Amino acid sequence: MSNKNEQPVLELKNVSVGYESVRGTVRAVRDVSLKIYRNEIVGLIGESGSGKSTLSNAIMNLLKNSATLLGGEIIVMGQDVYSLNKRDLRKFRWNKMSMVFQSAMNALNPVLTVEEQIADVFREHRPNMTKKEIHDKAVELMELVSIDPKHLKSYPHELSGGMRQRIVIAIAISLEPDLVIMDEPTTALDVVVQKSILDKIKELQRKKGFAVLFISHDFSLVAELAEKVAIMYAGRLVEVTKAEDLNLSKRHHPYTEGLLRAIPELTAETVKIEGIPGNPPDLINLPTGCAYNPRCKYAMESCKTIHPVEQDLDGRQIACHLYNEDFVTKAVR
Ligand SMILES: Nc1ncnc2c1ncn2[C@@H]1O[C@H](COP(=O)(O)OP(=O)(O)O)[C@@H](O)[C@H]1O
Ligand SMILES: [Mg+2]
């Protein structure tokens, strides 16, 4: 685990993001706080529509027209991402932070060779590099993601989905950023290819030491890759925990518990596999109190009226009234 005295690579302070729509404001990300340090892989899990992509776009300061940062601060390597001018932000984006987008496999330009696309990044951000230096760097990057450098001459359609995804990852780390955000980078790939890409990400991360925010709706995938996991529900982080604590012998937010019970691989044979009944809430008309309360089998009266704040429970940050007594006892001790 990292030394908490060091500067975080990414610090989110009470980040909220909303989309303006004809029905009202869609509160896609609500009051999210999180720190990620160097050498850390942090997983972000949540059902589809829980706000994961919105949060990653917000970190990159790439929110689309109808979306705005409603509140909070996003700090990368000590720099407030929202206080940079356009030009500095462009530089900052590749040099300090980069992102592999959801469906990134199709992010490559179909009419350029792999080498031309890698070279573009260096030409723009490292104008002093010679052609030879750029070529050498392109070869090195291909080797780094275990693709034969002969494919530098290939066009994207000549490569498999897994190879394209590796190349997108290679481009994202080409300028050695401190933070790499990966938004469901393997979702479209088959399980074997997914596994090999995860191994590759781990290996690269160890070599280069960058911090990773790895986003997925696949609980078992995240639990395998990340050492710290944040669980998002209806735009909020309901729990932040060590991956090794993600099992039913530990106390968790009821939503995390529901997710754990829904994974066959992580549960003991004696535990019955069950899905979480009900549906995620309407982000325009959120339930009062805890947004999870209508689906929660432990819901109490207070859950319907009082919003639970995140508190520490045995090293996990959990926002749930269920543990209020523990929180209080600890505070008194
Ligand atoms: N352009 C948009 N306008 C209005 N609402 C949007 C827009 N894009 C996303 N949303 C809403 O924001 C919520 C979060 O979306 P998203 O961040 O894509 O979730 P995830 O990546 O977890 O699947 C969703 O409920 C979605 O309906
Ligand atoms: Mg998404």
Side-chain angles (χ1 to χ4, degrees):
M1 280 258 109
S2 44
N3 172 9
K4 299 302 177 230
N5 295 323
E6 77 184 272
Q7 179 195 50
V9 171
L10 171 68
E11 182 166 13
L12 303 174
K13 288 186 189 169
N14 309 101
V15 173
S16 296
V17 182
Y19 292 92
E20 286 315 318
S21 81
V22 283
R23 288 179 56 225
T25 305
V26 181
R27 298 162 69 203
V29 173
R30 301 184 297 137
D31 204 21
V32 166
S33 296
L34 184 70
K35 287 179 187 170
I36 304 183
Y37 294 87
R38 204 176 145 72
N39 287 310
E40 256 187 346
I41 302 185
V42 174
L44 177 64
I45 318 181
E47 290 166 288
S48 178
S50 58
K52 306 180 298 297
S53 294
T54 305
L55 179 62
S56 36
N57 292 335
I59 296 169
M60 295 294 288
N61 195 344
L62 278 173
L63 287 169
K64 317 250 164 58
N65 302 332
S66 65
T68 45
L69 189 69
L70 297 176
E73 276 177 77
I74 297 172
I75 296 160
V76 175
M77 297 302 287
Q79 170 68 52
D80 182 336
V81 173
Y82 284 75
S83 69
L84 291 163
N85 64 34
K86 254 196 177 149
R87 191 171 144 268
D88 290 340
L89 182 62
R90 261 184 91 79
K91 271 197 220 157
F92 197 81
R93 259 193 217 124
W94 282 90
N95 285 292
K96 302 283 184 195
M97 59 179 181
S98 67
M99 179 161 163
V100 175
F101 289 90
Q102 205 167 340
S103 72
M105 271 190 345
N106 307 315
L108 295 169
N109 187 331
V111 301
L112 295 180
T113 64
V114 171
E115 179 151 17
E116 284 164 335
Q117 309 198 37
I118 296 176
D120 271 350
V121 178
F122 290 106
R123 279 198 292 260
E124 176 166 352
H125 292 274
R126 300 283 186 273
N128 295 328
M129 277 174 82
T130 65
K131 269 194 172 155
K132 165 88 172 60
E133 283 167 344
I134 292 177
H135 175 75
D136 291 348
K137 200 72 202 171
V139 169
E140 188 192 314
L141 282 169
M142 293 292 269
E143 283 167 351
L144 205 57
V145 292
S146 307
I147 298 178
D148 189 326
K150 75 175 188 209
H151 287 299
L152 282 171
K153 299 276 162 282
S154 303
Y155 288 89
H157 74 267
E158 297 171 315
L159 305 170
S160 70
M163 284 164 98
R164 290 204 297 270
Q165 189 60 287
R166 279 163 194 262
I167 289 166
V168 171
I169 291 170
I171 293 175
I173 63 169
S174 58
L175 300 183
E176 312 222 337
D178 302 283
L179 172 69
V180 182
I181 301 173
M182 302 192 181
D183 189 1
E184 313 230 15
T186 63
T187 300
L189 302 167
D190 71 65
V191 176
V192 178
V193 180
Q194 278 196 10
K195 173 89 181 79
S196 82
I197 291 198
L198 290 195
D199 290 343
K200 184 48 78 182
I201 293 168
K202 251 188 195 161
E203 182 197 319
L204 290 173
Q205 193 270 342
R206 278 198 203 109
K207 246 184 223 167
K208 304 281 182 189
F210 50 77
V212 179
L213 179 62
F214 185 92
I215 295 166
S216 180
H217 64 267
D218 185 335
F219 208 57
S220 44
L221 205 70
V222 170
E224 190 184 309
L225 180 75
E227 48 254 25
K228 195 160 100 185
V229 177
I231 293 123
M232 199 170 205
Y233 185 78
R236 268 187 205 281
L237 297 188
V238 294
E239 178 167 349
V240 180
T241 176
K242 280 189 227 151
E244 65 190 51
D245 285 343
L246 274 174
N247 56 67
L248 290 168
S249 71
K250 299 272 158 63
R251 295 184 297 174
H252 293 286
H253 189 283
Y255 178 60
T256 312
E257 188 189 311
L259 292 173
L260 282 169
R261 287 189 191 281
I263 304 174
E265 293 95 326
L266 286 182
T267 50
E269 276 170 45
T270 47
V271 177
K272 221 173 84 225
I273 297 160
E274 27 182 301
I276 302 172
N279 293 307
D282 178 355
L283 297 177
I284 294 178
N285 264 312
L286 285 161
T288 53
C290 172
Y292 187 61
N293 90 72
R295 296 175 82 182
C296 183
K297 62 180 176 190
Y298 306 111
M300 308 169 286
E301 262 327 290
S302 55
C303 304
K304 295 174 190 159
T305 49
I306 305 165
H307 158 66
V309 292
E310 209 170 81
Q311 301 190 64
D312 189 90
L313 180 77
D314 312 328
R316 294 183 286 291
Q317 275 73 56
I318 300 181
C320 177
H321 292 313
L322 208 54
Y323 303 114
N324 261 352
E325 264 177 38
D326 290 273
F327 296 148
V328 173
T329 324
K330 261 197 200 143
V332 170
R333 241 188 260 144

